[in-house]
Amino acid sequence: MDLETRAVHLPMPVVDGSSPISVPLYQTSGFAFDDPAVFADGMSRPDGAFVYARYSNPTVRALEEAIAGLEGGVAAFAAASGMGAINSVLLGLLKPGDHLVAQRALYGGTAAMINDLVARYGITVTYVAEDSPDALRAAVTPSTKLVYLETMANPIGQVADLPGMCAAASDLGIVSVVDNTFATPLLCRPLEYGADIVLHSMTKYLSGHSDVLGGIAVFASDELYRHLWHYAISLGATLDPFAAWLTLRGLQTLPLRMERHCSNARLLATRLAEHPAVAAVHWPGLAAHPSHELGSKLLSDFGGVFAFDLVEGRAAGERFMSSVRLALLAPSLGGVQTLVMQPATTSHRSLSAAELARHGIAEGTVRVAVGIEHPEDLWADFAQALA
Ligand code: PLP
């Protein structure tokens, strides 16, 4: 054939007799077929042949299977961000006139999305305490379709009573959805406590290096997975193969990173709690935290995020954040570097004063997403900023 055609139709390597050690990056948006029937079949279900990367892609599938396996689910679909996964689930399960019950403290983006669903789609919401199955039972109406929880809430670490809340939801025939971003499957596996769907922002611990956006929804049942897969591919918040590849690469060191995130958080939270400039430290690993007892039963450790309030309030919080030298003043969490921020003016800025109070956030609260640096370097930084 002509060089012009040969330049377009490149030879495809076939790996035979050995296999790659790391998952290959299939950076392709589509797949070619010999058989039209296999092509048609692949378009109609998630487990047919790979057809089109918005439906599925081998690199993305490898990540979906890895995380479904870690969470103990039957299947998962990956999304372009945590919010992509959350919205695929909320929009796929709710319709006008439906009611959802959500825990009172939620990630700011989720809270804003629920407010939007309420304002624009005629969906209603009732907020309940994350550890009160009785409040959940009392809130349920004949239109309730979904209960939305977070294993550990952002930023002050309230732990949800997953077994109690998921059992109540299941008794009432309601789907329970748990955002497990803060815990990761290494600290908690909500499906084992009865959840139907587990969500993650993979942007955080699962990828772990602050270099990629991603989300995932993991399912306890094949039926729910298939229903929401059809919705998610139409919504189009699909994960790109390269983002999946970076996330797979990060995932392999998740156990090592989580161990250090948790031990660093323990050291900083403990020392801050003893510091005279600090009024309160919110980390469920501390015995004084209201969720400590429940967290000790449900979690194998307490994660790398905590918040604290300074005796001198908002102005002191701002001075602290502009005085740290090693920690970075930045959004997000779950990466290798320690980050600090003020939720009231950033992640939770869309909330009213009443909603902030419902979340347990004061105007001056500082949130710390602890990285994996040497703990004494972190403490030296915090101590000089407090001084
Ligand atoms: N869930 C939690 C608990 C989060 O902290 C975040 C982001 O901070 C999200 C979901 C949203 O994830 P993403 O930013 O990847 O869309």
Side-chain angles (χ1 to χ4, degrees):
M1 285 200 190
D2 194 279
L3 289 184
E4 290 181 10
T5 302
R6 284 161 61 194
V8 173
H9 290 263
L10 299 174
M12 255 322 148
V14 176
V15 181
D16 201 6
S18 65
S19 50
I21 291 175
S22 86
V23 177
L25 171 56
Y26 285 88
Q27 190 68 40
T28 181
S29 58
F31 298 81
F33 292 85
D34 294 328
D35 183 342
V38 180
F39 181 4
D41 176 64
M43 300 213 67
S44 63
R45 59 194 175 100
D47 41 6
F50 294 107
V51 175
Y52 183 52
R54 179 158 52 76
Y55 293 35
S56 55
N57 168 286
T59 311
V60 177
R61 178 62 55 78
L63 177 63
E64 291 168 341
E65 287 181 356
I67 294 178
L70 293 176
E71 286 285 6
V74 297
F77 67 72
S81 65
M83 288 312 298
I86 291 167
N87 280 316
S88 298
V89 167
L90 290 180
L91 294 171
L93 289 177
L94 294 170
K95 59 178 187 341
D98 284 347
H99 174 246
L100 81 145
V101 180
Q103 71 177 51
R104 58 194 167 178
L106 289 171
Y107 165 62
T110 308
M113 183 61 202
I114 290 177
N115 285 345
D116 190 56
L117 288 177
V118 169
R120 296 202 300 146
Y121 294 101
I123 290 167
T124 52
V125 59
T126 306
Y127 291 102
V128 298
E130 63 287 336
D131 56 356
S132 176
D134 286 343
L136 166 57
R137 275 187 279 267
V140 164
T141 74
S143 322
T144 311
K145 294 288 165 15
L146 191 150
V147 175
Y148 194 97
L149 304 166
E150 294 182 359
T151 311
M152 274 186 275
N154 178 27
I156 68 164
Q158 302 94 323
V159 177
D161 175 4
L162 296 180
M165 300 294 268
C166 294
S170 159
D171 290 348
L172 295 158
I174 297 162
V175 174
S176 51
V177 181
V178 179
D179 183 331
N180 198 32
T181 300
F182 274 42
T184 84
L186 291 176
L187 306 188
C188 181
R189 306 201 322 151
L191 298 180
E192 288 176 358
Y193 294 129
D196 296 304
I197 303 176
V198 168
L199 297 169
H200 283 277
S201 166
M202 298 194 294
T203 313
K204 320 296 186 209
Y205 292 110
L206 298 183
S207 63
H209 295 75
S210 306
D211 53 8
V212 65
L213 283 172
I216 198 159
V218 184
F219 297 86
S221 93
D222 196 53
E223 195 190 342
L224 210 44
Y225 164 63
R226 279 169 198 274
H227 171 68
L228 283 171
W229 178 81
H230 281 284
Y231 186 78
I233 63 168
S234 301
L235 194 65
T238 312
L239 188 67
D240 178 72
F242 184 51
W245 187 84
L246 283 171
T247 306
L248 278 163
R249 186 184 162 112
L251 190 63
Q252 289 174 302
T253 56
L254 178 67
L256 300 178
R257 289 186 283 106
M258 281 316 285
E259 211 177 302
R260 178 60 80 92
H261 285 298
C262 293
S263 64
N264 276 358
R266 181 175 304 282
L267 180 133
L268 291 180
T270 307
R271 290 193 190 169
L272 281 169
E274 289 160 359
H275 197 284
V278 174
V281 181
H282 313 284
W283 186 60
L286 295 178
H289 191 285
S291 295
H292 181 68
E293 204 184 315
L294 181 61
S296 304
K297 287 187 201 137
L298 304 185
L299 311 168
S300 59
D301 208 334
F302 297 92
V305 178
F306 67 85
F308 66 97
D309 298 308
L310 287 156
V311 173
E312 289 174 32
R314 181 183 183 139
E318 280 165 8
R319 284 209 305 284
F320 174 85
M321 288 190 300
S322 54
S323 305
V324 285
R325 294 180 190 144
L326 177 61
L328 304 171
L329 178 53
S332 201
L333 62 114
V336 291
Q337 291 115 330
T338 296
L339 311 177
V340 296
M341 66 179 312
Q342 203 167 26
T345 55
T346 56
S347 58
H348 291 69
R349 70 192 177 288
S350 66
L351 303 191
S352 65
E355 285 171 321
L356 279 177
R358 197 182 74 223
H359 283 67
I361 301 169
E363 275 197 341
T365 299
V366 175
R367 189 193 77 176
V368 185
V370 188
I372 63 166
E373 300 94 334
H374 192 284
E376 293 301 340
D377 286 334
L378 284 176
W379 177 246
D381 188 33
F382 276 41
Q384 68 77 27
L386 289 170

